[in-house]
Structures are given as C-alpha cells and as structure tokens.
Amino acid sequence: YRPLSDEQLSALFDINGLKENVRTLSAILVATGMRTDEAALLHQEQVRLESTPYFDLRVAEVKNDSSKRQVPIPEILLPTVKRLKEVPRGVEGRLLDFAVKGDGKSRASEICSYWRAKVDLYGMAPPGRGKFTNHSMRGSLRDKLRDASVPLEVSNDLMGHDKGKVSGAYGYGTSLRVMKEAVDKIDHPYLKFLT
C-alpha cells in the first residue's frame, strides 16, 4: 500500500458529493491510523471522553491482540466525535452507518473504494509500485509520525502493530497521554472541513 500525499488527501476530501459517512470515516483513519473496520464499526460506548479522550478497542473485534488497544482521539476530530457520540448514525449505537455483511465486516472498504476511484490518485503520485486503498491512510499517518520524530514504539502502539520481540512482552506499552501528544503533533490541512 502506498501512503497518500497531502495533495491526494485534499483531492479525496474535496470530492463533489462525497457522502458524510465516507468523509468522517476517512478523517478518523488518517488522523488515528486505525484500520477501516476498527473505525467503521465503532459503537457509542467505545468513545471515552475522559481527560484524555480515546476510542476503546480493547473489547472490539480486531486483527490481533496488539490491536486491542486505546486509540487517542486527536483534537481535530474531537468535535466531530462528540457530535457522533451524542447522536449515533448507525444501527445498534454505531457511530457511522455503514452496512454490515454476514461475516460481521462492514461495507466501508467497498464504498470508500467507489469514491476513491473518482480521483486520479496515480496521476498525482510519483512513479512507484503499490496501490492506494483505505490502508494508505495508515501509511500516511505513519510517515507523518516519523517526520514528527515520534519514536517507532509509540507509533507501533498507536497503530496496534505487533510488538514482535521479547522486549515487547514487558510493561504496558506507551501511555495514552504520550500517544495523544503524538497524534496532536500532526498537521492535517486536508481536514479543514472539520474546523
């Protein structure tokens, strides 16, 4: 998967007629590094608006044990998330209204793919291998965290990547406060519609 540039992200968020649930999901993905269904299937009770607001994925259906985590809500998303928590748009208290397939996964990837095809992302990108998908937003955030000198361990904990080594078995990992500071370092000029 290829990460998306700010130019590509701006083009995606500026698509004429872009559905609000796709725009909101994409904003959550690029600002938090969550996987598509981690965000598309969020429930009201998974939004914790404490001193450090976060999405609670510790009891969610996620990819692996490392993915069971707390994901800080960046300041730029906080007003939108508060509004969605007050009036959820999906069924059963879900924040977003993506249909759910028989296997429990959402249709968000397919719907986002439809909208992504309306932009010539490859024409805006330097030559290279790989494709642009929702997962590209994780790559975009990863690059932005790296450019902001956020340590790899913090980035891995934020994104729910497997610790892998023996050292990953010790301690609780990066604190929610430190992860929140990391995501709030990132500038998202393509999310101007949120402010």
Side-chain angles (χ1 to χ4, degrees):
Y1 307 105
R2 295 172 74 178
L4 295 158
S5 68
D6 283 2
E7 177 189 11
Q8 290 169 308
L9 287 163
S10 291
L12 286 170
F13 283 106
D14 289 342
I15 293 172
N16 189 30
L18 183 63
K19 299 293 183 198
E20 189 60 32
N21 62 343
V22 174
R23 188 184 311 273
T24 302
L25 172 65
S26 298
I28 292 171
L29 297 179
V30 76
T32 66
M34 292 170 70
R35 293 175 182 90
T36 301
D37 270 358
E38 289 175 347
L41 298 174
L42 278 168
H43 281 81
Q44 218 175 0
E45 68 271 5
Q46 288 178 275
V47 177
R48 308 285 193 203
L49 298 175
E50 299 167 7
S51 60
T52 303
Y54 66 96
F55 296 120
D56 192 350
L57 300 182
R58 294 173 296 179
V59 294
E61 282 292 321
V62 290
K63 183 177 178 180
N64 55 41
D65 283 344
S66 295
S67 298
K68 291 181 183 279
R69 65 198 190 282
Q70 296 171 314
V71 179
I73 301 171
E75 286 302 311
I76 194 162
L77 291 179
L78 203 49
T80 300
V81 171
K82 285 179 177 178
R83 180 177 46 80
L84 289 172
K85 183 172 171 62
E86 288 173 16
V87 183
R89 296 176 59 213
V91 296
E92 301 169 1
R94 283 191 292 117
L95 297 185
L96 300 169
D97 59 356
F98 292 100
V100 177
K101 301 182 275 190
D103 62 1
K105 295 183 186 265
S106 79
R107 293 214 175 273
S109 286
E110 300 146 54
I111 294 166
C112 290
S113 179
Y114 165 82
W115 287 99
R116 204 171 34 255
K118 294 184 176 290
V119 176
D120 182 14
L121 296 175
Y122 295 94
M124 288 185 244
R129 294 178 34 201
K131 56 187 175 178
F132 295 111
T133 69
N134 280 354
H135 219 66
S136 296
M137 294 191 190
R138 281 171 63 85
S140 299
L141 182 63
R142 173 69 97 170
D143 284 351
K144 287 176 177 286
L145 291 167
R146 190 179 299 115
D147 289 350
S149 300
V150 171
L152 181 61
E153 182 177 9
V154 174
S155 182
N156 284 343
D157 285 349
L158 176 65
M159 297 187 136
H161 285 157
D162 190 8
K163 309 260 189 297
K165 299 182 177 163
V166 174
S167 62
Y170 294 95
Y172 292 112
T174 307
S175 73
L176 187 58
R177 179 188 56 78
V178 169
M179 288 191 292
K180 173 97 165 80
E181 289 169 3
V183 295
D184 283 338
K185 284 183 178 181
I186 307 307
D187 184 35
H188 299 284
Y190 36 82
L191 297 182
K192 59 187 176 291
F193 66 92
L194 292 176
T195 56

